[in-house]
Amino acid sequence: MPSFDIVSKVDPQTLENAINTAKKELATRYDLRDTKGGIELDKKANTIQLSSENSMRIKALEDILLTRIVKQGIDGTALDFTAEEQASGTLVKKTIKVRAGVDKEAGRKIIKTIKDSKIKVEAQMQDDQIRVSAKKIDDLQAVIALLRRTDNGQPLQFVNMKS
């Protein structure tokens, strides 16, 4: 039976390259040249730490980071900017989470979208991915087209196509 998996992941090397490029831009920008703090990547926690003197510079760091990530080919929705800024001594810090995997709520929304479309496929949640199977490959391609048209709040990749 033909099937494929819906996943949401970011290539760690591409992310690291984007952050290194953002650090270089931070060092060369005139308005941010003597800024304390900067941009740090925590690979284990899958987060990005921004730190600066005030929230205006944090917003500038977010803009630099988002621009560099999009230029590297990573979808901007892979970053979760919803965390609040926290004061830490003389610096303001913000932790940005890198989304990896399809979480339960988003998975339910995707499965509901697939079922509401009346395409004859079977979708099931497996850990942090969704397995979609059908009798015809054309139905699977219709599901991929449907999900590309809808906004799911995070980037989706369609992998492991088996026929």
Side-chain angles (χ1 to χ4, degrees):
M1 206 158 147
S3 67
F4 71 90
D5 296 331
I6 302 170
V7 297
S8 179
K9 60 183 175 182
V10 175
D11 180 33
Q13 186 61 47
T14 308
L15 180 65
E16 189 173 357
N17 290 344
I19 289 181
N20 288 337
T21 309
K23 285 180 184 179
K24 287 179 185 176
E25 182 176 339
L26 176 64
T28 59
R29 280 214 8 200
Y30 180 74
D31 58 339
L32 299 171
R33 185 171 297 158
D34 51 347
T35 300
K36 294 181 181 81
I39 303 171
E40 297 297 323
L41 173 65
D42 184 1
K43 293 180 185 178
K44 289 186 172 129
N46 214 15
T47 59
I48 301 169
Q49 181 81 29
L50 303 178
S51 57
S52 187
E53 290 93 14
N54 55 35
S55 60
M56 182 187 76
R57 288 193 175 170
I58 291 285
K59 295 288 184 202
L61 289 176
E62 285 179 7
D63 187 42
I64 291 170
L65 179 65
L66 190 59
T67 303
R68 292 298 163 195
I69 281 182
V70 169
K71 283 188 178 180
Q72 288 286 335
I74 299 173
D75 194 343
T77 57
L79 300 180
D80 185 12
F81 287 101
T82 58
E84 293 293 319
E85 299 171 358
Q86 301 141 0
S88 173
T90 59
L91 294 178
V92 177
K93 294 184 178 183
K94 184 169 186 177
T95 303
I96 299 170
K97 188 173 183 291
V98 180
R99 294 184 178 137
V102 180
D103 60 347
K104 298 275 186 212
E105 185 177 316
R108 285 189 200 112
K109 182 179 173 186
I110 292 168
I111 291 172
K112 184 179 182 323
T113 303
I114 293 170
K115 287 187 179 189
D116 289 346
S117 70
K118 304 290 185 194
I119 301 172
K120 294 182 179 179
V121 296
E122 182 68 35
Q124 56 188 342
M125 191 79 178
Q126 295 180 343
D127 294 331
D128 60 348
Q129 66 183 15
I130 300 171
R131 168 84 35 101
V132 181
S133 56
K135 291 183 179 177
K136 295 189 241 174
I137 293 182
D138 293 340
D139 292 337
L140 295 178
Q141 291 172 338
V143 169
I144 292 173
L146 170 74
L147 292 177
R148 285 195 173 141
R149 285 192 307 264
T150 60
D151 178 31
N152 298 306
Q154 68 186 66
L156 299 177
Q157 293 87 29
F158 308 101
V159 297
N160 204 16
M161 179 74 111
K162 296 178 181 175
S163 55

